[in-house]
Amino acid sequence: MNHKFSRRKFLRNSLLGTGAMTLGFPALNVNAQEHNIRVGVVTSLSGANRFGGNLTRRGYDLWAEEINKLGGIEIEGKRYPVEMFYGDAQSRPASGADAAERLIIQDEVDVLFGPYTSGVTLAVQPISQKYRVPMISGSAESPNVWLAKPAFNFGMIPAVDLTTDKSMVVLAENLGDRATTASVIGVDEPFSKETAEGFRKGVEESGLELLSYELFPAGSDLSAIISKLKSSNPDIVAVGGHEDIFINFVSTAKALNYKPKALIMHYGVTSAAFIKETGTESNGILGVSVWTEGLPYKDELFGTASDYSELSFSRWGTRPDYTEAACSASGLVLQDAARRLGKAPPWDQGTRAELAKAIEDTDIETFYGPVGFAKEGSHYHNNTKPVPAVVQIKSGDIVPVAPENASKGELVYPIPGTS
Amino acid sequence: MDLFLQTLVNGILIGGILICLTIGFQLTFGVLHVIDFAVGGWTMLGGYTAYWLVTLAGIDPFISIFLVFALFLLIGRGLGPLIYHVRTSRYARPDLMALAFTFGIFLFMRGGALWLWSYNSRSVDSVLSGQFLSLGPVTIPLMRLSAFILAMMFSLGLFILLYRSRFGMAVRALAQNHDHAGLMGVDVKRVSAWVYGIYTALTASAGVLIATIYSVNPSVGIRYTLFAFFVAVLAGLGSVGGVLVAGLALGLLEAYVATYIGARYSLLIVFGTLYLVLLVAPKGVLGRGI
């Protein structure tokens, strides 16, 4: 057989082949990826807030691992595995915004899980809005995040002004006529000030008499403030701040022979660092937590709050706090919204906007508690449903003591050895 | 009245720590003519070293303070020639170069602390933690009282060294005039290096005392740099004696403002006072001026 080489035939076949490859590969590519939901995580994996940042990562990762064990998120009867991508905010808002942009453009994520701190969240928020990528923030407690009315961002933890005032009301109700007066102090910086103002609002709402309200700069010598508290001796002392100021308060009060009858603080009291640094002095101190393992909540993926705690402990070696829990619950919100959306990934801009709407309509019960986002007002898109529990440290353990339905132990008042 | 007396005690005890923090800073300025912006960094590192010694070796901070003193004496002695070199180099403004150099050291220490210990605050417990003396309505924390006594001991030791030893005589000669001291046979470089060593040792020791009373984290350095600078200016830059008066004055001022006006305003009023002092008495209470 004589095969004559035809240049025209060769060119035609080559062109057809190349065309088929060009048209066919994306199709193959889409087929290969259509079963994955690409989730970008922007958080502080390095820098000053890396400890908390890594807590958020643990929470998000634990959900991804658990849902992938089932084959992924179920949409219209089919499972789509979750693929996680990470962007390090380096504890800086500007770096967080850059990381978010990289995740959206380069990694083509379908949805974002939000940063650890409110500052970084505020910087990432406009990026998620610009590219219409829904973001579920498992951390960030500043009310300022929600004042901006972010269309695409949703927060799992109620803003600190909501939790502290509710917790003070819960505490006052449980103490009844045993407590009539309160003093509030706090560090004069955004988060701590908002915490202190929440406590003050709670004091007013609960009918307690506010003896004093004082803000002070970070790093202040607390001896003057504690001497004044000792002199007026209120029934409840509330402190707005972070772990370092709580540790300073406890050690300075101890040095000046002062122990308030009830001492309530916020985030930080439940951290292992606070309990370790204050030792036995932490006994009896009250804190606010939107979640603990003792709460009577459950869902299908994680089981009860206690089951979640066990799972997290076996995976990471430490007990989860409410930040970690809220981050895991962010995944539950996503899978519920994706199920209701009923559209297979990848999601284009229009579909992502529909997904944001589906997230906005969330109304579910989880191991973390009820989740539902405010659709208007100053806490727009913030999950305002959880009722904060008042917890008390007892021999190093964090025990929910109020409200009654969440209580796992007796509220000790006054703390033994008080002034 | 009870609160007034308690505030008096609080102010005096804090003043003692500020004296220990600033006295070495003054010495460095007086001899090397360097305003050392690393002062808060040395304080922070002293506190962290005490934390390490307590947690790793179980050494009480009131013992470890002497180890910290010795360790930082050597570190400062090692770094001293470099500071001296920058200060006496042929830059157009060697004083500004030295200032920038020490600020660079401070930033390096702060960055290193963040890398090593993250932002978490560390406090140091002692056998005296939580113990106090009750004198009528006034409570005197034994930890703060001991810290005050130690600070006074260090200050007294420095005075004895300066005014009762040949080394002290050489230091005083350097404070007068480097060239003349050199001509009289003083090894200027060596003495300057030891002065920097003594300064770092005193400042790090103050850090141990601070860690026993408050807590340390990488950001405390800025606060103590500001306080050291305030006390030094109020005392009169270079005046070691003025530090005693200025340190106590600052301690009392901050305590009374925080108690009777509000802690929120204490830094505002404290630094307002600084500007007032600079306007009315630019040489400070006992100093030679900037």
Side-chain angles (χ1 to χ4, degrees), chain A residues 88-357:
Chain A
D88 184 5
Q90 300 166 35
S91 306
R92 289 196 296 262
S95 303
D98 290 345
E101 201 141 20
R102 273 199 302 278
L103 286 168
I104 294 168
I105 294 170
Q106 290 177 14
D107 296 317
E108 297 177 338
V109 297
D110 298 301
V111 66
L112 285 170
F113 282 165
Y116 172 60
T117 63
S118 300
V120 178
T121 308
L122 279 163
V124 173
Q125 215 159 245
I127 308 296
S128 83
Q129 172 102 18
K130 180 179 161 189
Y131 293 100
R132 301 169 79 79
V133 177
M135 178 161 81
I136 306 170
S137 296
S139 185
E141 293 180 68
S142 170
N144 293 326
V145 173
W146 315 113
L147 278 176
K149 295 199 182 303
F152 280 79
N153 187 18
F154 302 87
M156 296 298 292
I157 302 178
V160 72
D161 58 333
L162 295 175
T163 53
T164 45
D165 73 333
K166 282 181 190 166
S167 67
M168 184 59 84
V169 172
V170 164
L171 178 62
E173 280 170 359
N174 275 265
L175 290 175
D177 56 10
R178 288 185 291 168
T180 55
T181 58
S183 285
V184 179
I185 62 167
V187 181
D188 198 1
E189 51 92 18
F191 174 82
S192 305
K193 190 177 165 187
E194 284 149 6
T195 310
E197 280 174 1
F199 276 132
R200 176 165 68 172
K201 198 169 152 223
V203 168
E204 285 158 4
E205 284 169 9
S206 57
L208 294 163
E209 184 190 351
L210 183 71
L211 292 185
S212 62
Y213 175 78
E214 183 166 6
L215 297 175
F216 53 88
S220 292
D221 174 22
L222 296 182
S223 51
I225 288 163
I226 288 168
S227 297
K228 279 191 280 184
L229 289 173
K230 190 179 175 184
S231 176
S232 59
N233 201 18
D235 295 327
I236 301 170
V237 173
V239 185
H242 287 100
E243 291 98 315
D244 55 344
I245 208 71
F246 298 161
I247 292 166
N248 272 348
F249 184 95
V250 172
S251 61
T252 309
K254 184 182 172 189
L256 289 168
N257 189 26
Y258 174 58
K259 200 161 196 173
K261 283 175 261 184
L263 175 60
I264 185 165
M265 296 164 172
H266 184 255
Y267 180 79
V269 168
T270 54
S271 74
F274 174 79
I275 294 169
K276 184 178 166 230
E277 291 295 322
T278 51
T280 54
E281 287 301 305
S282 66
N283 269 332
I285 293 177
L286 299 158
V288 183
S289 182
V290 289
W291 179 86
T292 74
E293 63 179 6
L295 287 166
Y297 301 135
K298 63 180 179 181
D299 62 64
E300 284 181 6
L301 185 69
F302 290 113
T304 63
S306 174
D307 293 339
Y308 173 80
S309 177
E310 285 302 322
L311 176 72
S312 180
F313 184 74
S314 63
R315 177 66 181 86
W316 308 115
T318 53
R319 294 281 167 194
D321 70 352
Y322 70 76
T323 297
E324 211 171 314
C327 289
S328 292
S330 302
L332 298 174
V333 169
L334 173 63
Q335 67 185 68
D336 173 67
R339 182 186 56 77
R340 282 185 284 109
L341 178 70
K343 290 185 179 175
W347 297 315
D348 60 16
Q349 275 204 358
T351 315
R352 291 201 298 260
E354 288 174 41
L355 179 66
K357 181 74 183 71

Side-chain angles (χ1 to χ4, degrees), chain A residues 20-37:
Chain A
M21 295 272 277
T22 313
L23 292 170
F25 258 130
L28 285 171
N29 203 27
V30 167
N31 279 335
Q33 291 184 357
E34 77 173 2
H35 298 296
N36 284 1
I37 292 175

